[in-house]
């Protein structure tokens, strides 16, 4: 017997959803909850002018491609939408640089450092790529949603 992750009701192991609250049961349900919690971040889209969003989607997209976060700042300085995504891009860029430097320093430790540094570098690289893709998808869809984990950091006003 298992227990529902949401309401605590005792349920059979082979049941897909909880009969009490309808929550998914098992690993698939836990994975879906993780994805929903990871991507359910603050959405500020309603605070932006729809015309500004439409005109600056490409600028917002460029903000997530490494040091290209400078292009929206220089090419669309009056766009609040592009500036929002440029801020997200700068924070992502700094996160990647710091994490890369830390894993690089760890790699100087013989044997154990090589293993730990390699694993850390791979994990951070994958996280950086996932956050970059989420940011690009938000920009292309005309959404001003914060990135998970690092989206609450504001460097640009």
């Amino acid at each position: 017997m298992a227990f529902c992750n949401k309401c605590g009701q005792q349920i059979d192991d082979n049941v897909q959803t909880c009969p009490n609250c309808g929550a998914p049961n098992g690993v698939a349900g836990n994975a879906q909850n993780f994805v929903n919690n990871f991507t359910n971040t603050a959405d500020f889209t309603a605070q932006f002018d729809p015309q500004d969003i439409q005109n600056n989607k490409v600028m917002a997209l460029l903000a997530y491609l490494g040091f290209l976060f400078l292009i929206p700042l220089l090419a669309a300085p009056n766009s609040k939408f592009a500036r929002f995504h440029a801020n997200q891009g700068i924070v992502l860029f700094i996160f990647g640089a710091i994490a890369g430097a830390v894993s690089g320093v760890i790699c100087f430790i013989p044997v154990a450092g090589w293993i730990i540094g390699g694993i850390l570098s791979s994990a951070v690289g994958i996280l950086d790529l996932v956050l970059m893709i989420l940011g690009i998808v938000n920009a292309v869809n005309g959404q001003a949603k914060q990135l998970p984990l690092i989206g609450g950091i504001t460097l640009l006003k």
Side-chain angles (χ1 to χ4, degrees):
M1 289 299 236
F3 294 92
C4 175
N5 294 330
K6 187 174 180 182
C7 71
Q9 175 83 20
Q10 188 172 5
I11 54 177
D12 290 330
D13 291 331
N14 58 354
V15 174
Q16 296 287 333
T17 59
C18 174
N20 187 43
C21 69
N25 181 29
V27 175
N30 290 337
Q32 186 61 46
N33 288 340
F34 173 78
V35 170
N36 288 341
N37 290 336
F38 187 74
T39 58
N40 190 19
T41 57
D43 189 350
F44 299 102
T45 308
Q47 298 176 6
F48 295 95
D49 178 33
Q51 190 63 39
D52 179 27
I53 292 172
Q54 191 61 35
N55 292 342
N56 292 294
K57 285 183 180 180
V58 173
M59 291 296 156
L61 177 147
L62 291 174
Y64 295 100
L65 302 176
F67 65 89
L68 295 181
F69 65 80
L70 292 170
I71 293 176
L73 293 175
L74 300 173
N78 297 326
S79 170
K80 291 181 180 180
F81 182 71
R83 194 169 188 81
F84 173 85
H85 286 286
N87 179 74
Q88 299 275 312
I90 290 170
V91 172
L92 182 61
F93 182 77
I94 292 170
F95 165 75
I98 291 172
V102 168
S103 63
V105 168
I106 290 173
C107 284
F108 281 111
I109 301 169
V111 185
W114 300 334
I115 296 168
I116 294 169
I119 292 170
L120 180 64
S121 179
S122 298
V124 167
I126 291 168
L127 178 62
D128 198 42
L129 180 64
V130 168
L131 293 176
M132 182 188 306
I133 291 169
L134 283 173
I136 290 170
V137 168
N138 288 338
V140 169
N141 288 331
Q143 296 176 328
K145 290 179 75 172
Q146 289 182 340
L147 293 175
L149 305 175
I150 62 172
I153 301 169
T154 303
L155 299 176
L156 299 174
K157 295 283 179 186

